[in-house]
Amino acid sequence: MMTKTLDDMKMVHEEEMQNYDRMQETVTRVMHRHGCKIIQTLAFEEYDTYSRLFPQLKREMVKTIDTDGQVLVMRPDVTVPLVRTVARAYPDPHQLLKFGYVSTVFREFFGKSTHGKYFTQSGVEVLGDPTAECDGEVIVMALEFLESLGITDVRIDLGNVFYMHALFGSLGLRDEELALVNRER
């Protein structure tokens, strides 16, 4: 077991900050072109919310205690606080809302060649449109993000079980064939 210290945290130097700024501006332009409002969620969230929704992240979250003794976590995710705030501020579930963000997320991560306690994450949340066209627009935005940053060799894997069910449903498989396909996964 390797002992981690604050010295393991990486300082971001000017050149890297310039790259972050350039990437944020580039990604934000794509979001604006698609009608997204840019948001920033709170840096601190209630630990209980995340420990309940994401129990697998308990060890990865960066925790602190506020002045009232309540355990808080530094923003381990953007979607949860965004959706919670939107639910309060926009009670009409059919209202089309598009939000984009580029935020620092605080949780332990281990990449192929790096590790740390925080990273920059960007994304979009589109609410109020359950159509396949909306899903398609989000996929197009992801491609535009990457292309705008000069990344052209891209492969997108969709990991939602609903896409798989829709694909299998469109094939007109008999129940026995569908059971065989499901067993092979």
Side-chain angles (χ1 to χ4, degrees):
M1 175 78 87
M2 184 170 57
T3 303
K4 296 178 221 146
T5 67
L6 285 178
D7 292 335
D8 293 331
M9 304 278 290
K10 181 181 161 210
M11 184 169 82
V12 181
H13 296 277
E14 182 176 4
E15 299 81 23
E16 195 171 358
M17 286 300 301
Q18 290 171 346
N19 283 334
Y20 281 150
D21 291 345
R22 179 186 59 80
M23 287 188 289
Q24 182 172 347
E25 289 171 15
T26 301
V27 168
T28 301
R29 274 196 299 273
V30 172
M31 292 174 185
H32 278 133
R33 273 200 314 268
H34 285 270
C36 294
K37 294 178 181 180
I38 307 305
I39 57 93
Q40 180 69 267
T41 61
L42 298 174
F44 295 99
E45 293 289 332
E46 294 178 2
Y47 171 75
D48 290 341
T49 299
Y50 285 92
S51 64
R52 189 178 69 252
L53 294 173
F54 303 104
Q56 72 279 11
L57 290 181
K58 282 183 180 184
R59 293 181 52 88
E60 288 86 11
M61 293 187 288
V62 178
K63 301 162 196 79
T64 188
I65 299 176
D66 73 4
T67 56
D68 296 327
Q70 181 180 5
V71 179
L72 300 175
V73 292
M74 294 185 71
R75 180 189 318 113
D77 168 76
V78 177
T79 302
V80 171
L82 185 149
V83 170
R84 183 179 56 231
T85 301
V86 167
R88 288 184 200 135
Y90 303 93
D92 179 2
H94 303 294
Q95 182 179 1
L96 176 62
L97 301 166
K98 296 180 179 182
F99 297 98
Y101 60 87
V102 180
S103 297
T104 302
V105 173
F106 301 90
R107 66 175 185 252
E108 190 86 22
F109 73 92
F110 296 92
K112 290 182 181 179
S113 61
T114 61
H115 73 278
K117 293 188 182 304
Y118 63 92
F119 54 93
T120 302
Q121 181 180 72
S122 65
V124 296
E125 302 292 339
V126 181
L127 307 165
D129 184 352
T131 66
E133 289 78 11
C134 177
D135 293 340
E137 181 183 17
V138 172
I139 293 167
V140 166
M141 269 193 272
L143 285 170
E144 288 179 14
F145 291 157
L146 296 170
E147 288 174 352
S148 68
L149 295 171
I151 301 168
T152 56
D153 187 17
V154 176
R155 182 181 113 191
I156 293 182
D157 293 320
L158 299 176
N160 188 315
V161 71
F162 295 113
Y163 292 110
M164 184 193 66
H165 289 309
L167 172 65
F168 289 158
S170 70
L171 295 175
L173 299 173
R174 295 187 318 257
D175 288 342
E176 309 83 48
E177 294 169 321
L178 188 56
L180 181 63
V181 169
N182 282 323
R183 189 172 45 242
E184 293 299 320
R185 286 187 285 125

